């Protein structure tokens, strides 16, 4: 048996993620609660407590209705359940767009109350000033460009971006501005592959793709989508597990046992 003391586990830091530009792909997943986060933590570099939790966990139609308190609650649970991944908490709609001061107040609240390592907010060029304000005051920011679900009402739904090449300069400008403002990485969501490749080639910070091809510096998926728990996962999701079917089977077996008095048995009874 080794007499060496166990090495303390250190959390991945923002500069370590930043330094992965063009290097080993960055593994990211969402998680919203402690037990799944503990599993994800053993394999991912970065865990996002995404505001997608409004749709996935709370049955909302879009992410627009997610309140700040909900992000704090789930953020805390994920930080408690993890040791090594960098935990990033999403700023929900309405908590940062008004201006840098409001964004700072709310982002500082999220960081203090959850213990997360960074926040994420949606928007490119229009968020440059806010990203600079936050990063200069000690709040690391992950940006999010391309398809930005909080703007789905303006965009007319969840639409793939960049199909028309004339729109590319605006997306490239978004990436340039958020990087220059100090974001340490940028989620690129729902864009066509050649645009994702251009953004990744031109942007000095790591791009983390979701529905944006293998051209990005890293990938992120919503955990429930890749586990087979979402009824209709988007085209860009690869489903790695069939948890929905497993839960169905288990619940069906439990219900049958209870009805036939097959549960509990001797093994589950206190004597
Ligand atoms: O809210 C979320 O889960 C996200 C990811 C899909 C990137 O923003």
């Amino acid at each position: 048996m080794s007499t060496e003391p166990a090495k303390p586990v250190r959390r991945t830091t923002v500069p370590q993620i930043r330094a992965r530009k063009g290097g080993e792909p960055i593994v990211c997943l969402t998680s919203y609660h402690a037990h799944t986060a503990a599993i994800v933590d053993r394999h991912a570099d970065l865990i996002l407590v995404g505001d997608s939790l409004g749709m996935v966990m709370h049955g909302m139609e879009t992410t627009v209705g997610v309140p700040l308190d909900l992000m704090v609650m789930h953020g805390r649970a994920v930080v408690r359940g993890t040791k090594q991944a960098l935990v990033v908490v999403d700023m929900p709609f309405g908590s940062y767009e008004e201006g840098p001061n409001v964004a700072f107040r709310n982002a500082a609240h999220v960081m203090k109350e959850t213990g997360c390592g960074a926040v994420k907010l949606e928007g490119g060029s229009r968020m440059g000033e806010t990203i600079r304000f936050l990063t200069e005051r000690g709040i690391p920011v992950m940006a999010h460009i391309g398809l930005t679900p909080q703007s789905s009402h303006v965009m007319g739904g969840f639409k793939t971006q960049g199909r028309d090449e004339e729109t590319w300069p605006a997306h490239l400008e978004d990436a340039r501005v958020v990087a220059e403002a100090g974001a340490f990485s940028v989620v690129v969501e729902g864009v066509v592959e050649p645009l994702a490749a251009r953004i990744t080639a031109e942007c000095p910070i790591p791009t983390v793709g979701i529905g944006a091809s293998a051209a990005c510096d890293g990938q992120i998926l919503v955990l429930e989508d890749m586990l087979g728990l979402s009824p209709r996962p988007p085209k860009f999701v690869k489903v790695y597990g069939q948890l929905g079917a497993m839960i169905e089977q288990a619940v069906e077996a439990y219900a049958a046992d209870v009805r036939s008095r097959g549960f509990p048995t001797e093994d589950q009874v206190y004597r």
Side-chain angles (χ1 to χ4, degrees):
M1 212 176 91
S2 164
T3 50
E4 296 264 314
K7 274 202 191 133
V9 180
R10 288 191 197 285
R11 262 195 206 276
T12 302
T13 63
V14 162
Q16 282 169 342
I17 297 289
R18 170 75 185 76
R20 298 270 286 272
K21 177 72 194 174
E24 189 195 345
I26 306 166
V27 180
C28 313
L29 275 170
T30 64
S31 180
Y32 316 128
H33 66 70
H35 288 178
T36 54
I39 299 169
V40 174
D41 191 45
R42 294 195 279 274
H43 307 278
D45 302 305
L46 184 153
I47 297 179
L48 173 69
V49 185
D51 64 351
S52 51
L53 63 82
M55 298 166 79
V56 176
M57 297 214 67
H58 298 274
M60 298 176 181
E61 282 285 310
T62 71
T63 55
V64 170
V66 175
L68 192 66
D69 291 355
L70 203 58
M71 298 310 303
V72 168
M73 204 169 81
H74 287 281
R76 256 191 216 132
V78 169
V79 171
R80 281 192 202 121
T82 57
K83 293 195 200 84
Q84 40 190 67
L86 175 66
V87 177
V88 179
V89 176
D90 240 345
M91 297 299 293
F93 179 68
S95 69
Y96 62 93
E97 301 87 334
E98 208 176 321
N101 287 307
V102 174
F104 181 82
R105 203 170 308 127
N106 287 328
H109 175 71
V110 167
M111 291 199 69
K112 281 190 204 182
E113 293 299 319
T114 65
C116 70
V119 297
K120 175 168 85 57
L121 50 83
E122 294 184 10
S125 307
R126 68 188 162 89
M127 294 313 302
E129 190 193 347
T130 295
I131 293 172
R132 185 178 305 284
F133 193 87
L134 298 189
T135 52
E136 282 177 351
R137 286 161 181 77
I139 299 185
V141 176
M142 184 176 207
H144 185 155
I145 63 171
L147 194 170
T148 46
Q150 291 175 9
S151 315
S152 62
H153 291 301
V154 175
M155 289 175 154
F158 297 88
K159 293 206 169 127
T160 308
Q161 302 294 298
R163 288 201 192 281
D164 176 357
E165 226 171 297
E166 279 182 15
T167 65
W168 288 18
H171 292 293
L172 290 163
E173 178 64 3
D174 281 344
R176 191 193 64 73
V177 169
V178 298
E180 207 181 284
F184 71 91
S185 73
V186 56
V187 169
V188 180
E189 178 163 357
V191 308
V192 295
E193 183 176 31
L195 175 58
R198 272 282 294 279
I199 293 173
T200 301
E202 292 181 20
C203 186
I205 55 173
T207 57
V208 173
I210 174 160
S213 84
C216 298
D217 296 301
Q219 297 292 326
I220 186 161
L221 284 176
V222 169
L223 184 67
E224 284 73 2
D225 286 348
M226 61 87 88
L227 291 180
L229 273 168
S230 305
R232 282 174 305 282
K235 170 188 159 69
F236 60 76
V237 173
K238 179 169 173 186
V239 180
Y240 287 84
Q242 293 299 343
L243 252 60
M246 283 178 70
I247 293 173
E248 184 89 45
Q249 265 179 16
V251 173
E252 199 181 347
Y254 166 76
D257 273 359
V258 171
R259 289 193 179 108
S260 66
R261 299 198 182 279
F263 170 82
T265 64
E266 262 313 292
D267 289 348
Q268 291 94 32
V269 172
Y270 296 109
R271 295 288 179 205

